[in-house]
């Protein structure tokens, strides 16, 4: 049994990748599934779409690899974090569509919690801020808005889980209701210092303890898949939220190492070791991974719009047909123009955390066209990363955050964007040989438990550099561009009408 199956259940698609014992990829499969936008700022998924697409891609990847269930040592799961599913314990039916991490419908609940003075205790225990992004207020919303749901939950009839938990429950035929510490740490309900669900937090947010899954290590014996799914039972041995899985896949095991993942959003994590660093710059303190009962922590900066800015160019404006065209188009832009896009389509994430503001373009002239807007869209991701990096350095001044940034995710395929990132950070940007770092992290956690992969320091030796982007921009240009970005952000924040 020298293969590991990684399930990478993302925001817009589900993927399965079969890794060999040398971490090379034997086969992969991917399937998109529908997004639902029932109101402004609302984003939902059908849980059944998540489940069926996951099973489909797993079967396809196994078949492509030419193997059977007997050849697979373990399954690892990584998932879109914070997305919330509530389902019936007896029937398995979801009581509402999954509320996606991007969804902003609980802004009013969050505002009331802040007004009631709840943020200090919640932040102290969870490392998070009060924001619609996290799972806890989404659960409370479902319980309050679905007729009879709160009464059913009080009777122990309903279960809550993030996507990993929901998939584990389905994969095991309803036998296992569990999650790992990384996913639990994103709920507003979990005390990251004690490693337990917290009764005070549950009471504040209004979620019954009976709904919650058991919390385990990220590499643990979670259960077995039911035999009829993949032609035989397979051990499920690893779970981590997608950004934590990418941190593991990037082998960021040393305190001070930073990785940034560019998918729908962008997420940068700085490993702070066994110390949960309290941010003074609106970054999140989160669990990077938990092995053998020991938690390693990270500072995290979350940007809501990265790759989705490119999707907007394609689907909203129609100025490109394929994402790969964006860099070429940006390269044709007029160097005399300074167009800035602040892509706060669903509010602003770290380090600003304002759910009410919306996106804006600055610096438009009569000659601004598709090339200038594409340029601004790609640069916006780099500027936002710069903001996160500066906040991390301010929060961890006594320690040495490494200057090199390890990157992964779909946008890193754009050499133009990665070069501009290195230029604006004035730091090297390292792109690894294996781009599928999120899936690799999940595979590693499962393979570690199953004995296929070695302990972390030896696994780190497998990390390979594909390309290092070195800064090549004058200091004067860099400072001018960063100053323009700062002005643009101030303009967007000033547009907040407090509604």
């Amino acid at each position: 049994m020298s293969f590991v199956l990684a399930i990478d259940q993302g925001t817009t698609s589900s993927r399965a990748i079969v890794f060999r014992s040398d971490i090379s990829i034997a086969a992969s499969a991917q399937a998109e599934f529908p997004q639902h936008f029932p109101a402004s700022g609302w984003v939902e998924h059908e849980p059944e779409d998540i489940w069926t697409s996951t099973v489909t891609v797993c079967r396809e990847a196994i078949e492509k690899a030419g193997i059977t269930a007997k050849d697979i040592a373990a399954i690892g799961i990584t998932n879109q974090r914070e997305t919330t599913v509530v389902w019936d314990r007896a029937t398995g039916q979801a009581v509402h569509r999954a509320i996606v991490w991007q969804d902003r419908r609980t802004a009013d609940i969050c505002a009331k919690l802040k007004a009631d003075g709840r943020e200090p205790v919640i932040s102290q225990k969870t490392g998070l801020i009060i924001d619609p992004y996290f799972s806890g207020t989404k659960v409370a919303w479902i319980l309050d808005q679905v007729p009879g749901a709160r009464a059913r939950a009080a009777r122990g009839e309903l279960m809550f889980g993030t996507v990993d938990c929901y998939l584990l429950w389905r994969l095991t035929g309803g036998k296992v209701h569990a999650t790992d510490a990384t996913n639990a740490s994103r709920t507003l309900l979990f005390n990251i210092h004690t490693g337990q669900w917290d009764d005070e937090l549950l009471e504040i947010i209004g979620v019954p303890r009976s709904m919650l899954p058991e919390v385990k290590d990220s590499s643990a014996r979670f259960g077995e898949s039911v035999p009829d799914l993949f032609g035989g039972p397979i051990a499920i041995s690893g779970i981590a939220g997608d950004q934590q899985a990418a941190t593991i896949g990037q082998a960021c095991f040393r305190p001070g190492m930073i990785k940034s993942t560019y998918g729908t959003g962008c997420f940068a994590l700085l490993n702070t070791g066994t110390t949960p660093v309290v941010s003074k710059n609106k970054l999140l303190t989160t669990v990077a991974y938990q092995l053998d009962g020991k938690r390693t922590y990270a500072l995290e900066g979350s940007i809501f719009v990265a790759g989705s800015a490119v999707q907007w160019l394609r689907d909203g404006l129609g100025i490109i047909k394929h994402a790969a065209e964006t860099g070429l188009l940006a390269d044709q832009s007029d160097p005399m123009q300074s167009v800035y896009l602040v892509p706060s389509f669903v509010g602003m994430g770290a380090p600003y955390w304002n759910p009410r503001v919306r996106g804006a373009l600055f610096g438009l002239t009569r000659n601004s066209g598709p090339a200038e807007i594409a340029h601004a869209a790609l640069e916006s991701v780099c500027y936002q990363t710069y903001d996160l990096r500066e906040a991390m350095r301010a929060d961890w001044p006594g320690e040495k955050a490494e200057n090199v940034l390890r990157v992964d995710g779909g946008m890193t395929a754009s050499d133009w964007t990665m070069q501009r990132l290195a230029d604006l950070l004035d730091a090297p940007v390292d792109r690894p040989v294996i781009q599928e770092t999120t899936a690799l992290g999940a595979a590693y956690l499962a393979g570690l438990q199953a004995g296929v992969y070695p302990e972390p320091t030896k696994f780190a030796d497998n990390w390979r550099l594909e390309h290092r982007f070195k800064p090549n921009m004058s200091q004067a240009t860099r400072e001018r561009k960063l100053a323009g970005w700062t002005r643009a952000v101030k303009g967007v924040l000033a547009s907040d009408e407090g509604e």
Side-chain angles (χ1 to χ4, degrees), residues 353-375:
W353 290 108
N354 188 320
R356 295 176 302 274
V357 296
R358 293 296 176 259
L361 277 162
F362 293 86
L364 294 174
T365 71
R366 182 65 182 79
N367 293 324
S368 300
E372 287 70 35
I373 293 173
H375 183 130

Side-chain angles (χ1 to χ4, degrees), residues 5-10 13-18 28-33 46-64 69 72 75-78 163-164 166-174 224-232 234 236:
L5 174 64
I7 294 171
D8 182 359
Q9 203 300 303
S13 67
S14 300
R15 290 189 303 167
I17 301 181
V18 176
S28 66
Q30 183 168 352
E32 291 191 1
F33 58 89
E46 282 290 354
E48 205 61 33
D49 290 339
I50 292 174
W51 168 244
T52 55
S53 62
T54 297
V55 172
T56 298
V57 294
C58 286
R59 288 172 174 165
E60 188 179 332
I62 292 168
E63 186 180 343
K64 278 185 183 175
I72 300 172
I75 293 172
I77 301 171
T78 183
V163 168
D164 62 296
Y166 176 69
L167 288 177
L168 177 65
W169 193 82
R170 295 289 297 259
L171 286 165
T172 60
E224 282 189 344
S225 64
V226 291
D228 61 351
L229 280 174
F230 308 124
I234 306 172
I236 302 163

Side-chain angles (χ1 to χ4, degrees), residues 227-249:
D228 61 351
L229 280 174
F230 308 124
I234 306 172
I236 302 163
S237 306
I239 291 178
D242 53 9
Q243 302 314 317
Q244 286 94 338
T247 303
I248 293 161

